[in-house]
Amino acid sequence: MSDDHAYQAISAYDTTLIQTPHIDRLAIEGMLFTNASVTNSICAPSRAVILTGKHSHINGKIDNISPFDTTNVTFPMLLQKAGYQTAMFGKLHFGNNPKGFDEFKILPGQGDYYNPKFITASGDTTITGYVTDITTDLTLDWMEKRRDTAKPFLLMYLHKAPHRSWLPAQRHYPEFTTKEYPLPTTLFDDYSTRGDAAKTAEMGILKDMLLSYDLKVPKTVLNALGISERLGAGGVNRLNDAQRATWDAIYEPIATDFIQRYPEMNDSILTVWKYQRYMQDYLGTIAAVDENVGRLLDYLDAEKLTENTLIVYTSDQGFYLGEHGWFDKRFMYNESFRTPLLIRWPNVITPNTTEDELVQNLDFAQTFLEAAGIEAPNDMQGESLLPILKGQKENWTRDAVYYHYYEYPAEHAVKRHYGIATKEYKLMHFYHDVNQWELYDLAKDPTETNNVYNVPDYAAILAKMKTKLSETRKKYADSEALDSMYIQQYEDYTQD
Ligand code: SGN
Ligand code: CA
């Protein structure tokens, strides 16, 4: 799993931005899901949903700030109990250590790209190098040296990349910092048909992406240009002298070029400049993820583990790569609601299959448990994906998926909302300091720029979707009482 990896940045889905041959192998040799989504598009909550097989309002981890309740039963605990060896490496992003793992080496919180610190059961350790390479080194070290080959294993291999602020591996600077990318068609979206949430969100490339922290223009340059920003260079201060010299050789000429061009830049030229810089560094971090996924797949091949291993590639959520003028996630709109999902399981999945069923991160726990022949607790809320993986779709009946986002007021200012999506339509309700609805006709309006909530022609569809939404909320035991309870709880712990 990676963090904030948009499906648009995996060539099995879309070849516009980057080639990811190693990740793509999983689609060529397995199944590519085109309608996989998350239930709550933010890091730690997504991970809690994956581990527990329960929606955020049930497992309690509704946002990045609230604590994870460690009395939750997680699928790794159940696999461990059933005799699986279990290990976790990379980013977890909970305030507490994972339960149910024989070994873990995890990043504290968000972790760092360069020379990162890891938390282990025997204390903290700082390792020189690049986080994506190191996460793989630690994983392969466990696979080679401590895995008991007589037992089955569960491995959670969790990359920090491509999370903000985007810092590529040094070997990828030259290639990626010189690339130019096509502009998304909605880069200059004016949100004209939508409610307040899209208009007031603070995740605009022009307005909210920082020249220094995000795009590596040195503070000295900003001072010279009379621009002031709230944050300085993100994560670069962790480079040692030799690493810093490599950095400067690349990023100084970019800054010099910016100084010359800035005085002539209007908003749209600046947006495009920022978008290009953003893509260069974001995609640069993905190049290392892809290479390292390749290392792991090669290891499985060499050890003859490929045939009998179910392997999943996914992200904790999707991400905006300039669509609607944005970066970040949180919204139920397509790019952050969807998440990449590729699954390979030789002898079970027919190679090179594309699957458009509505599946969610909620489904992983029950999928893994069933695959391992372990009974899932009946309070888990997902569905095992095995019927889909086996091509037995007559046993798969889901026609809508549920979403609920909570972290507001907070960074990026995305309002609280819940909704449902079918393959054809999406209905969203924004609440708390607004009471606004949006409806999208996904077939006619795949970029979700035309809210048809108030369009008379859609009255019948709207009524059906509203009924389906309340049925779905009931089915998952979500309610207005819980919405209010979580608002109250949030106010309590954000005030402290
Ligand atoms: C950090 C980022 C945000 C991001 C959140 C959540 N800011 O706070 O841009 O939305 O993480 O991301 S930064 O200044 O620290 O880069 S998540 O993936 O962990 O949920
Ligand atoms: Ca994330």
Side-chain angles (χ1 to χ4, degrees), residues 342-357:
L342 302 85
I343 305 185
R344 184 182 74 184
W345 195 9
N347 308 317
V348 176
I349 295 175
T350 307
N352 221 346
T353 321
T354 299
E355 181 51 70
D356 74 347
E357 291 300 341

Side-chain angles (χ1 to χ4, degrees), residues 270-297:
L270 183 58
T271 303
V272 172
W273 187 88
K274 290 176 93 174
Y275 166 77
Q276 296 296 354
R277 277 270 55 251
Y278 165 35
M279 282 302 91
Q280 291 170 353
D281 291 347
Y282 176 91
L283 295 167
T285 71
I286 287 172
V289 172
D290 189 61
E291 286 172 3
N292 278 283
V293 166
R295 286 175 67 197
L296 192 66
L297 296 183

Side-chain angles (χ1 to χ4, degrees), residues 2-6 9 18 20 23 113-114 130-133 159-173 176-177 181 216 247 251 277-292 313 321:
S2 47
D3 190 347
D4 295 358
H5 194 168
I18 192 170
T20 52
I23 297 171
Y113 277 103
Y114 298 139
Y130 186 63
V131 70
T132 307
D133 302 333
H159 285 296
K160 168 194 170 58
H163 193 275
R164 188 188 184 199
S165 59
W166 310 281
L167 301 174
Q170 299 213 297
R171 63 184 176 280
H172 292 128
Y173 297 167
F176 281 85
T177 54
Y181 297 94
K216 328 298 174 349
W247 171 275
Y251 286 98
R277 277 270 55 251
Y278 165 35
M279 282 302 91
Q280 291 170 353
D281 291 347
Y282 176 91
L283 295 167
T285 71
I286 287 172
V289 172
D290 189 61
E291 286 172 3
N292 278 283
Y313 186 85
L321 304 184

